[in-house]
Structures are given as C-alpha cells and as structure tokens.
Amino acid sequence: MKKIGILGSTGSIGTQSIDIIKKSKDRFDLIFISGHKNIKLLKEQADELNPQFVLITDLDAFNEAKKMNFTCKILFGMNELVELINVETIDILLNALVGHVGLIPTYTAVKNKVPLALANKESLVTAGHIIMKEVYANKSIILPVDSEHSAIFQSLQGNKMKNVEKLILTASGGPFRSLSYEEIYNKKAFQALKHPNWTMGRKISIDSATLVNKGLEVIEAKWLFDIPASKIDVVVHPQSIIHSLVQYNDSSIIAQMGRPDMRVPIHYALNYPERINFDIERFDFMKYNQLTFESPDHKVFPGLSLGYTAIEKGNSMPTVYNTVNEVMVNKFLMDQVKFYDISDRIELEMNNHKMIINPSIEEIIALDKEIRMRLR
Ligand code: MN3
C-alpha cells in the first residue's frame, strides 16, 4: 500500500485523483486531503475514503468545518500542511494546488525526499532553479502530472537526455484557436471557459485560451527535463490526441498518445514505475481519422512568446509572468477586465520589472505579494 497525501483534493485534478483512489483502494492508503473553502466536498471525500487528516486553508471554512463532525482530525493552514510532508507520513504527495500557493509544498516535498506527483506547474515556473537544485542534491523525484510533461517523461523512458534534439509540446489552441484578434477582443470568461477537449479547472481554462498555459509549460519543461527553452517547440494540435513528443538526434520522434483524459497522466504518476490496468475508455482510431497540426499564432496569442521571453530573462522574470497572469485571470473571470488586458498587463509589468538575480524562495514570495497588492 502506498501512503498518499493529496493537496487540492476539491479542484479539478484533485477530484479526478480521488476518483482514481476510489478505484484502487487496494493500492493506496489515503493519509490526508486538503482544500481551501469547499468543506462540503471535503466532508464527502473524508466520509468515503477515511483519511487521517483533512487540512483546510481558509480560516472561516476551517471554523465552519469544526462544527461538522468530521470523523478524522481537521487541521488549518500552510504550517500544519508542511508538517505532513515527510517520508514517515506519506510515500507520495500529489500537489494539485492551483497557482503560486503550491510553491512551499513542492519545495518541502523535494527537500524532504517525498516523491512528488506534480500538477502545480507554477511552483516550477517561479522557483525551478531552487526546486531542481534540491531534487538533484537529495535525489528526490518529481513525477509530472501535466499531460504534456507526462507524455515527454514517458517518451524519454529508456533513452538518454544527451541524445535528445528537442522537446515538442502540443497545444490544443484553446477555445479561440481559429478566431482573429478582433473576434476575440470582446470575448467574456464564460466563452473562454468552454474548452474543446479537456475537463479542467477555471484558471487553467483561461490560461489555455490565452496560451499563457503553454508559456508556463515551456518553463516547466525546461526545469523538469533540464533542457534550454530554445530546444522546446510548441505545435498546435487541435484534437489533443498526441500529448507531446521527444525528437532524438537520429531524427526519430517518440510521442505518447491517447484520449484527452487527465486521469491517465495522474494514474501513471501515482503508480509509477508500474503500469497498472486502468478501466477507462480506450482510444478508437476510427473516431479520430484526422490528426492535424498548426503553428501557434503569436500575434493573436501573445501569451506564449511572453513565456519564452520570461524564461530567456530567467531569474525573477517568470514570477512576474506568472503572478501578473494569476491576478489578471482572476479579474477576467470576474468580468473586470477584457481578454487582451491579461497579456497586455503581463507585457507591461515584465518591461517595468527590475530583475532580482537568482531570487530566493523568500524573495519570490515577497515579489508575488508585492505584485498582488499593487494590481489589486
Ligand atoms: Mn498541460
């Protein structure tokens, strides 16, 4: 039995992971789950799967939960959460938190040598230089949950990094793929939330529409696979069947493919290095007799090139890219700003940023806070 902790169990990746845990109760011992505000769902998950701890990060929700007769212990806040991330308590941590808040749990896991199934790309985007240093120093392991990175990780099995010519990340192109700048200009959040292929959370759905998600993923791939961003290409593949590819120096390309279902990369990460039977629908070639590919349109979707610029500058620039995006996406979700205000503001803030060289975790957290206060 693998002892597992799930952070962000009420979110999109979290609920899909809970679904996997339910189907494999003989393989996983659920030690803890965490959520921010959705205590109703946390209670349901706790009643069904009997974890030892439920951790809540919102104070009002925590006080409310105390009245709800949970059968397990309920804990509050990041400090108590960090206490749970050690090899005595769990064998694997799934970090499915959304955004910058995932940084400290990721850092704690790699520092404490807890195998980490990572869905929180933002922690690598902002602090990849620190996190990977800990990974190499402690021989910790990060198993990517992001579908593209899982595909690359799988396509690298049995091969050597030194023989890799480039990584090719696929992008669905999002809900506005075939539209012009003018057509997208007045689009609202509810329209951006209709993703053609994937079931995803609200934040990542908007990131997918702006292509900032792909920019974040280029940075994530750079750190995970220790490869310069100049060797990472992005190709738009609207069907989302090929999840990403590795091109080797002999010209061979190895890809990983399947139906677009996040439970597959989650299942792979949680069971790695085994491949365990998974009872879900299989891919049918006849349903997809055309797989197509396009170049990303950098003029209509500036979010991707801004990501390349951020990682090229490195240091604190990816934090600016990420935090400004998080703040602007929230505003867009509340209909307070327009679609292109997201990338316009990222560009403006990146241009005005006075870079911090080789920032520490504390400096990254302070910068994130400063930007949030200012853009509020
Ligand atoms: Mn992805």
Side-chain angles (χ1 to χ4, degrees), residues 139-150:
K139 296 193 167 57
S140 303
I141 176 161
I142 297 184
L143 299 156
V145 169
D146 208 347
S147 63
E148 296 80 358
H149 305 73
S150 175

Side-chain angles (χ1 to χ4, degrees), residues 121 145-149 170 198 200 204 213-214 217 220 262:
K121 65 192 82 181
V145 169
D146 208 347
S147 63
E148 296 80 358
H149 305 73
T170 52
W198 296 95
M200 304 191 297
I204 188 173
N213 183 50
K214 217 44 62 176
E217 290 184 347
E220 180 187 13
M262 277 313 295

Side-chain angles (χ1 to χ4, degrees), residues 88-364:
E88 284 77 41
T89 310
I90 46 172
D91 301 315
I92 187 166
L93 176 75
L94 172 63
N95 183 353
L97 296 172
V98 177
H100 179 78
V101 292
L103 175 58
I104 292 294
T106 292
Y107 180 62
T108 308
V110 295
K111 228 177 133 87
N112 292 351
K113 302 183 190 191
V114 175
L116 173 65
L118 184 64
N120 178 264
K121 65 192 82 181
E122 293 89 347
S123 43
L124 276 180
V125 168
T126 59
H129 59 294
I130 300 166
I131 287 157
M132 294 316 289
K133 211 159 135 190
E134 292 290 338
V135 167
Y136 299 130
N138 302 322
K139 296 193 167 57
S140 303
I141 176 161
I142 297 184
L143 299 156
V145 169
D146 208 347
S147 63
E148 296 80 358
H149 305 73
S150 175
I152 289 169
F153 185 74
Q154 294 183 55
S155 302
L156 284 168
Q157 297 297 310
N159 290 286
K160 296 190 178 87
M161 244 354 258
K162 66 167 188 179
N163 296 326
V164 171
E165 206 161 70
K166 62 178 176 180
L167 307 181
I168 304 159
L169 295 176
T170 52
S172 70
F176 303 151
R177 175 178 61 88
S178 47
L179 305 183
S180 66
Y181 180 91
E182 289 73 26
E183 287 168 313
I184 297 170
Y185 192 82
N186 282 315
K187 291 284 186 202
K188 294 260 189 270
F190 78 94
Q191 294 162 304
L193 286 169
K194 289 184 190 138
H195 197 276
N197 305 330
W198 296 95
T199 311
M200 304 191 297
R202 286 161 63 81
K203 192 247 173 190
I204 188 173
S205 293
I206 304 302
D207 289 349
S208 172
T210 58
L211 288 200
V212 167
N213 183 50
K214 217 44 62 176
L216 296 170
E217 290 184 347
V218 168
I219 304 174
E220 180 187 13
K222 178 225 145 58
W223 290 116
L224 267 179
F225 304 112
D226 190 23
I227 190 168
S230 57
K231 291 186 173 186
I232 306 172
D233 286 358
V234 172
V235 63
V236 174
H237 166 44
Q239 297 81 18
S240 300
I241 298 301
I242 294 180
H243 300 312
S244 278
L245 320 87
V246 179
Q247 180 172 313
Y248 290 91
N249 53 11
D250 62 355
S251 90
S252 274
I253 294 178
I254 300 183
Q256 185 262 346
M257 63 188 282
R259 291 174 53 256
D261 186 331
M262 277 313 295
R263 290 174 304 171
V264 177
I266 300 169
H267 186 264
Y268 180 79
L270 298 188
N271 287 296
Y272 179 85
E274 310 288 334
R275 279 196 188 270
I276 304 295
N277 182 51
F278 195 15
D279 185 19
I280 56 168
E281 191 189 333
R282 263 47 180 169
F283 179 71
D284 180 350
F285 280 85
M286 297 313 124
K287 279 189 191 159
Y288 295 90
N289 54 14
Q290 279 207 40
L291 299 183
T292 61
F293 304 92
E294 309 163 8
S295 296
D297 189 331
H298 293 285
K299 284 217 171 71
V300 180
F301 302 103
L304 176 56
S305 344
L306 287 168
Y308 276 103
T309 306
I311 193 58
E312 195 188 302
K313 305 242 184 237
N315 298 295
S316 55
M317 199 57 90
T319 298
V320 177
Y321 177 66
N322 179 65
T323 302
V324 176
N325 179 58
E326 279 187 36
V327 174
M328 295 306 286
V329 166
N330 262 326
K331 288 179 189 265
F332 179 67
L333 282 168
M334 294 186 289
D335 287 328
Q336 292 172 356
V337 298
K338 284 178 169 303
F339 187 78
Y340 281 111
D341 289 336
I342 301 174
S343 50
D344 286 351
R345 190 67 195 225
I346 295 173
E347 187 173 10
L348 178 75
E349 292 291 330
M350 279 172 59
N351 285 338
N352 291 343
H353 179 57
K354 257 191 84 191
M355 232 167 25
I356 307 162
I357 305 304
N358 194 18
S360 65
I361 292 273
E362 291 74 24
E363 286 172 318
I364 291 166

Side-chain angles (χ1 to χ4, degrees), residues 65-111:
K66 282 196 279 194
K67 303 171 201 156
M68 281 170 70
N69 69 6
F70 274 81
T71 48
C72 62
K73 207 167 169 204
I74 54 171
L75 305 170
F76 168 71
M78 197 52 86
N79 291 344
E80 298 219 80
L81 194 162
V82 164
E83 294 287 305
L84 294 173
I85 306 174
N86 58 70
V87 288
E88 284 77 41
T89 310
I90 46 172
D91 301 315
I92 187 166
L93 176 75
L94 172 63
N95 183 353
L97 296 172
V98 177
H100 179 78
V101 292
L103 175 58
I104 292 294
T106 292
Y107 180 62
T108 308
V110 295
K111 228 177 133 87

Side-chain angles (χ1 to χ4, degrees), residues 27-39:
R27 298 186 53 81
F28 295 102
D29 180 7
L30 185 62
I31 304 297
F32 62 83
I33 54 178
S34 92
H36 187 55
K37 275 186 172 167
N38 193 346
I39 45 178

